[in-house]
Coordinates of all heavy atoms in Angstrom, one line a residue:
A1 N 0.8 -1.2 0.0 CA 0.0 0.0 0.0 C 0.9 1.2 0.0 O 0.6 2.2 -0.7 CB -0.9 -0.1 1.2
V2 N 1.9 1.3 0.8 CA 2.8 2.4 0.9 C 3.6 2.5 -0.4 O 3.9 3.6 -0.9 CB 3.7 2.4 2.2 CG1 4.6 3.5 2.1 CG2 2.8 2.5 3.4
L3 N 4.1 1.4 -0.9 CA 4.9 1.3 -2.0 C 4.2 1.9 -3.3 O 4.8 2.5 -4.2 CB 5.4 -0.1 -2.3 CG 6.5 -0.3 -3.3 CD1 7.8 0.4 -2.8 CD2 6.9 -1.8 -3.4
G4 N 2.9 1.5 -3.4 CA 2.1 2.0 -4.5 C 2.2 1.2 -5.8 O 1.8 1.6 -6.8
R5 N 2.8 0.0 -5.7 CA 2.9 -0.9 -6.8 C 3.1 -2.3 -6.3 O 3.3 -2.5 -5.1 CB 4.1 -0.5 -7.7 CG 5.4 -0.6 -6.9 CD 6.7 -0.3 -7.9 NE 7.8 -0.2 -7.2 CZ 8.6 -1.1 -6.8 NH1 8.2 -2.4 -6.9 NH2 9.7 -1.0 -6.2
P6 N 2.9 -3.2 -7.2 CA 3.1 -4.7 -6.6 C 4.4 -4.9 -6.2 O 5.5 -4.4 -6.7 CB 2.8 -5.6 -7.9 CG 2.1 -4.6 -8.8 CD 2.5 -3.2 -8.5
V7 N 4.6 -5.7 -5.2 CA 5.9 -6.1 -4.6 C 6.5 -7.3 -5.4 O 5.8 -8.2 -5.7 CB 5.7 -6.5 -3.1 CG1 7.0 -6.8 -2.5 CG2 5.0 -5.4 -2.3
L8 N 7.8 -7.1 -5.6 CA 8.5 -8.2 -6.4 C 8.5 -9.5 -5.6 O 8.5 -9.5 -4.4 CB 9.8 -7.8 -6.7 CG 10.2 -6.6 -7.6 CD1 11.6 -6.2 -7.6 CD2 9.6 -6.8 -9.0
N9 N 8.4 -10.6 -6.3 CA 8.2 -11.9 -5.7 C 9.3 -12.2 -4.7 O 9.1 -12.8 -3.6 CB 8.1 -13.1 -6.7 CG 6.8 -13.1 -7.5 OD1 5.8 -12.6 -6.9 ND2 6.8 -13.6 -8.6
G10 N 10.6 -11.9 -5.0 CA 11.7 -12.2 -4.0 C 11.5 -11.4 -2.8 O 11.7 -11.8 -1.7
T11 N 11.2 -10.1 -3.0 CA 11.0 -9.1 -1.8 C 9.9 -9.6 -1.0 O 9.9 -9.7 0.2 CB 10.7 -7.7 -2.3 OG1 11.9 -7.3 -3.1 CG2 10.6 -6.8 -1.1
K12 N 8.8 -10.0 -1.7 CA 7.6 -10.5 -0.9 C 8.0 -11.7 -0.1 O 7.6 -11.8 1.1 CB 6.5 -10.8 -2.0 CG 5.2 -11.3 -1.3 CD 4.1 -11.6 -2.4 CE 2.9 -12.1 -1.7 NZ 1.8 -12.4 -2.7
A13 N 8.6 -12.7 -0.7 CA 9.0 -13.9 0.1 C 9.9 -13.7 1.2 O 9.7 -14.1 2.3 CB 9.7 -15.0 -0.9
K14 N 10.9 -12.8 1.1 CA 11.8 -12.4 2.1 C 11.0 -11.6 3.3 O 11.2 -12.1 4.5 CB 12.8 -11.5 1.6 CG 13.8 -10.9 2.6 CD 14.8 -9.9 2.0 CE 15.7 -9.4 3.1 NZ 16.7 -8.4 2.4
L15 N 10.2 -10.7 2.9 CA 9.4 -10.0 4.0 C 8.5 -10.9 4.7 O 8.3 -10.8 5.9 CB 8.7 -8.8 3.4 CG 9.5 -7.7 3.0 CD1 8.7 -6.6 2.2 CD2 10.2 -7.0 4.2
E16 N 7.8 -11.7 4.0 CA 6.8 -12.7 4.6 C 7.6 -13.6 5.6 O 7.1 -13.9 6.7 CB 6.1 -13.6 3.6 CG 5.1 -12.7 2.9 CD 4.3 -13.4 1.8 OE1 4.8 -14.5 1.2 OE2 3.3 -13.0 1.3
K17 N 8.7 -14.1 5.2 CA 9.5 -15.1 6.1 C 10.0 -14.3 7.3 O 9.8 -14.8 8.4 CB 10.7 -15.6 5.2 CG 11.6 -16.5 6.1 CD 12.8 -17.0 5.3 CE 13.6 -17.9 6.2 NZ 15.0 -17.8 6.0
Q18 N 10.4 -13.1 7.1 CA 10.9 -12.3 8.3 C 9.7 -12.0 9.2 O 9.9 -12.0 10.4 CB 11.6 -11.1 7.8 CG 13.0 -11.3 7.1 CD 13.6 -10.1 6.6 OE1 13.0 -9.1 6.3 NE2 14.9 -10.1 6.5
A19 N 8.6 -11.7 8.6 CA 7.4 -11.3 9.4 C 7.0 -12.5 10.3 O 6.7 -12.3 11.4 CB 6.3 -10.8 8.5
V20 N 6.9 -13.7 9.7 CA 6.6 -14.9 10.4 C 7.6 -15.1 11.6 O 7.1 -15.4 12.7 CB 6.6 -16.1 9.5 CG1 6.5 -17.4 10.3 CG2 5.4 -16.0 8.5
E21 N 8.8 -14.9 11.4 CA 9.8 -15.1 12.4 C 9.7 -14.1 13.5 O 9.7 -14.4 14.7 CB 11.3 -15.0 11.8 CG 11.6 -16.2 10.9 CD 12.9 -16.0 10.1 OE1 13.5 -14.9 10.3 OE2 13.3 -16.9 9.5
L22 N 9.4 -12.8 13.1 CA 9.3 -11.8 14.1 C 7.9 -12.0 14.9 O 7.9 -11.7 16.1 CB 9.4 -10.4 13.5 CG 10.8 -10.0 12.9 CD1 10.7 -8.8 12.0 CD2 11.8 -9.9 14.0
L23 N 6.9 -12.3 14.2 CA 5.7 -12.6 15.0 C 5.8 -13.8 15.9 O 5.2 -13.7 17.0 CB 4.5 -12.9 14.0 CG 4.0 -11.7 13.2 CD1 3.1 -12.1 12.0 CD2 3.3 -10.7 14.1
A24 N 6.5 -14.8 15.5 CA 6.8 -15.9 16.4 C 7.6 -15.5 17.6 O 7.5 -16.1 18.6 CB 7.5 -17.0 15.6
Q25 N 8.4 -14.4 17.5 CA 9.1 -13.9 18.6 C 8.2 -13.1 19.6 O 8.6 -12.8 20.7 CB 10.3 -13.1 18.2 CG 11.4 -13.8 17.6 CD 12.6 -13.0 17.0 OE1 12.6 -11.7 17.4 NE2 13.3 -13.4 16.1
G26 N 7.0 -12.9 19.0 CA 6.0 -12.2 19.8 C 5.9 -10.7 19.6 O 5.1 -10.1 20.3
L27 N 6.6 -10.2 18.6 CA 6.4 -8.7 18.3 C 5.0 -8.5 17.8 O 4.4 -9.3 17.0 CB 7.4 -8.3 17.2 CG 8.8 -8.3 17.8 CD1 9.8 -8.0 16.6 CD2 9.0 -7.2 18.8
P28 N 4.4 -7.4 18.3 CA 3.0 -7.1 17.9 C 2.9 -6.9 16.4 O 3.7 -6.2 15.7 CB 2.6 -5.9 18.6 CG 3.7 -5.7 19.7 CD 4.9 -6.4 19.2
E29 N 1.8 -7.4 15.7 CA 1.6 -7.2 14.3 C 1.5 -5.8 13.9 O 2.1 -5.4 12.9 CB 0.3 -8.0 13.9 CG 0.0 -7.9 12.5 CD -1.3 -8.7 12.1 OE1 -1.8 -9.5 12.9 OE2 -1.7 -8.5 10.9
A30 N 0.7 -5.0 14.8 CA 0.6 -3.6 14.5 C 1.9 -2.8 14.5 O 2.2 -2.0 13.6 CB -0.4 -3.0 15.5
W31 N 2.8 -3.2 15.4 CA 4.1 -2.6 15.5 C 4.9 -2.9 14.3 O 5.6 -2.0 13.7 CB 4.8 -3.0 16.7 CG 6.1 -2.3 17.1 CD1 6.2 -1.2 17.8 CD2 7.4 -2.8 16.7 NE1 7.6 -0.8 17.8 CE2 8.3 -1.8 17.2 CE3 7.9 -3.9 16.0 CZ2 9.7 -1.9 17.0 CZ3 9.3 -4.0 15.9 CH2 10.1 -3.0 16.3
L32 N 4.8 -4.2 13.8 CA 5.6 -4.6 12.6 C 5.0 -3.9 11.4 O 5.8 -3.5 10.5 CB 5.6 -6.1 12.5 CG 6.4 -7.0 13.4 CD1 6.1 -8.4 13.3 CD2 7.8 -6.6 13.2
C33 N 3.7 -3.8 11.3 CA 3.1 -3.0 10.1 C 3.7 -1.6 10.1 O 3.9 -1.1 9.0 CB 1.6 -3.1 10.2 SG 0.9 -4.7 9.8
D34 N 3.8 -1.0 11.2 CA 4.2 0.4 11.2 C 5.7 0.4 10.8 O 6.1 1.4 10.0 CB 4.2 1.0 12.7 CG 2.8 1.3 13.1 OD1 1.9 1.4 12.2 OD2 2.5 1.5 14.3

């Protein structure tokens, strides 16, 4: 949404993997979205 264009597949996969790991560590979803 902030980027204003589709996210490249490699970037998308990397961010999703990191988000899953950070959420598993217990970081709040809203904080990560910010």
Side-chain angles (χ1 to χ4, degrees):
V2 173
L3 193 59
R5 61 177 171 78
V7 180
L8 298 173
N9 288 339
T11 302
K12 181 179 179 180
K14 177 182 176 181
L15 288 172
E16 286 176 343
K17 179 181 180 213
Q18 290 177 336
V20 167
E21 291 170 358
L22 294 168
L23 288 168
Q25 291 177 16
L27 289 173
E29 183 178 348
W31 188 86
L32 287 172
C33 286
D34 288 343

